[in-house]
Amino acid sequence: MADHQVLAGAHVVLPTGIVENGRVIVEGDRIAGSSPEGAPSIDLTGHWLVPGFVDMHNHGGGGASFTSGTVDEVLKGVHTHRLHGTTTVVASFVTGEMDFLTQRAGLLSELAEQGEIAGLHFEGPFISPCRKGAHDETLLRDPDPADVRKLIDAARGQAKMVTLATELPGGLDSVRLLAEHGVIAAIGHTDATYEQTVEAIDAGATVATHLYNAMPALGHRAPGPIAALLEDERITVELINDGTHLHPAALELAFHHAGADRVALITDAMDAAGFGDGRYMLGPLEVEVKDSVARLVEGGSIAGSTLTLDRAFKRAATIDGLPVESVVQAISANPARLLGVYDRVGSLEPGKDADIVVLDADFTLKGVMRKGVWIVDPTADTAV
């Protein structure tokens, strides 16, 4: 008989709603439907049990970069985010030379095959120089479908998402190519008009890369991409809820207009997440992190975040006052569905991986379980 654990007494957030004084039963590495008599029980009265977080846009952490780190460094970055509740993470690359990106894709696709990461996201080089953010302008290029295809092929079936400025030459054909290959075409770092954005969505784009950031602001005569992305049922909008990237009213607008089932809370984290202030490299560009805000040394653009998803969850549930079920949808279920892994993760249902986060009454992280193993023990006093 596999090991059973019963997590008892908590507010358990299920797809159907919140169960008070609920129980989650773990058998080996999975969530089980029932437990044998005498199975050990952990009393989590007054705590919240939510599914492990799923981060579909993350560049690194713990001092390590997914774009340029060694395999060991990448694993260190992954582990840093696991300590903060992210049990499923996509490794995002920033813009680089094509040869470099294909080489990195080959290297990291092995980690995806091993289940350490949930796939790869290419954020660049196919983005607009007008909205480059923390990307090296000299390495940007138009989204030629042949180049897009090179990156997908290099990832050996592990490419999950490509962010494109779809208004550039080749943009719409690249969106169609990505859709045909089952890869998410994400609209971002774009200078597109409202009409151009609608065209890209019709061509098959399904995600807005960090909505509001690195795109034209909402205008009342020229609404730009934000209005098109918010209004279309086919689009899921990424939001960076760190208090720096977005005003709370902008977050509330997105949740209100798109609905909780069309929002994905992401970190867009870089190396400094879970590590601290200092100087870092983001691809070829130097970044200074001061008071947990990352900015390019040259020009001062925001350069990703130092966010971890436990902080994004707490902020959403407290400062933003969102219903806990909505936060869980945005931080676990929705990204899991988009990534095609909702059959295994993203909700607390029997048969799924035992990826579970324990939060206290104030939504501070107290425990993290991944595949039935405690990474952060909720019964210890050393929770992150």
Side-chain angles (χ1 to χ4, degrees):
M1 183 183 76
D3 289 341
H4 281 79
Q5 302 177 66
V6 180
L7 313 181
H11 317 289
V12 180
V13 184
L14 301 176
T16 48
I18 298 170
V19 177
E20 300 298 342
N21 193 20
R23 303 190 323 153
V24 175
I25 299 154
V26 177
E27 180 181 1
D29 61 356
R30 297 291 173 93
I31 295 171
S34 60
S35 64
E37 284 292 316
S41 179
I42 299 175
D43 180 7
L44 293 171
T45 302
H47 289 68
W48 293 88
L49 282 187
V50 299
F53 309 145
V54 180
D55 192 355
M56 56 189 277
H57 186 158
N58 185 320
H59 296 280
S65 162
F66 296 155
T67 302
S68 56
T70 64
V71 167
D72 282 349
E73 286 169 344
V74 169
L75 289 172
K76 182 186 175 195
V78 170
H79 183 67
T80 297
H81 284 282
R82 285 180 187 165
L83 292 172
H84 292 275
T86 299
T87 48
T88 303
V89 65
V90 169
S92 300
F93 298 150
V94 291
T95 294
E97 297 278 7
M98 284 294 291
D99 289 349
F100 173 75
L101 290 173
T102 54
Q103 180 258 327
R104 290 298 295 176
L107 183 72
L108 264 65
S109 65
E110 291 181 28
L111 292 182
E113 286 156 11
Q114 294 160 17
E116 296 290 350
I117 58 175
L120 308 177
H121 164 217
F122 297 95
E123 188 182 19
F126 313 114
I127 62 176
S128 170
C130 321
R131 304 286 174 179
K132 65 184 185 297
H135 291 253
D136 185 344
E137 187 167 351
T138 64
L139 299 175
L140 301 183
R141 53 174 64 210
D142 289 339
D144 179 336
D147 285 340
V148 175
R149 181 68 195 263
K150 263 186 218 164
L151 293 187
I152 302 174
D153 289 347
R156 301 201 304 251
Q158 300 299 333
K160 291 289 185 179
M161 184 160 70
V162 178
T163 293
L164 307 149
T166 51
E167 75 278 8
L168 296 174
L172 294 179
D173 285 339
S174 291
V175 168
R176 293 183 192 105
L177 173 82
L178 290 166
E180 279 165 26
H181 284 80
V183 179
I184 295 165
I187 299 172
H189 287 274
T190 177
D191 204 39
T193 62
Y194 174 87
E195 291 76 15
Q196 287 171 323
T197 307
V198 169
E199 263 190 293
I201 298 168
D202 287 341
T206 56
V207 165
T209 293
H210 44 53
L211 186 76
Y212 300 113
N213 299 115
M215 59 182 67
L218 193 59
H220 61 291
R221 282 196 203 83
I226 294 169
L229 294 163
L230 277 178
E231 75 186 4
D232 199 298
E233 294 294 320
R234 294 168 290 182
I235 291 288
T236 299
V237 298
E238 294 182 345
L239 297 174
I240 308 170
N241 193 23
D242 61 353
T244 299
H245 280 78
L246 298 177
H247 189 284
L251 180 98
E252 203 278 330
L253 177 72
F255 264 94
H256 177 77
H257 205 76
D261 57 345
R262 286 181 43 221
V263 173
L265 291 176
I266 60 158
T267 60
D268 192 16
M270 46 75 76
D271 319 12
F275 203 64
D277 287 0
R279 291 255 174 148
Y280 297 86
M281 297 304 292
L282 187 61
L285 302 178
E286 195 174 10
V287 173
E288 180 161 22
V289 179
K290 192 174 174 188
D291 300 329
S292 297
V293 176
R295 291 188 180 274
L296 289 186
V297 171
E298 192 78 31
S301 272
I302 295 178
S305 84
T306 60
L307 188 61
T308 50
L309 281 181
D310 57 334
R311 279 177 35 221
F313 192 114
K314 181 170 182 167
R315 185 180 175 87
T318 56
I319 294 169
D320 301 313
L322 292 166
V324 178
E325 305 98 307
S326 297
V327 183
V328 168
Q329 263 187 292
I331 215 163
S332 300
N334 299 342
R337 280 200 188 89
L338 282 165
L339 297 170
V341 293
Y342 189 67
D343 58 327
R344 299 202 313 276
V345 300
S347 66
L348 300 178
E349 294 175 275
K352 292 197 176 186
D353 290 355
D355 289 1
I356 301 167
V357 172
V358 182
L359 304 168
D360 69 11
D362 297 323
F363 301 102
T364 299
L365 184 135
K366 290 297 174 189
V368 183
M369 175 184 280
R370 186 173 188 268
K371 295 192 174 177
V373 176
W374 289 112
I375 296 170
V376 177
D377 185 345
T379 60
D381 292 329
T382 53
V384 174

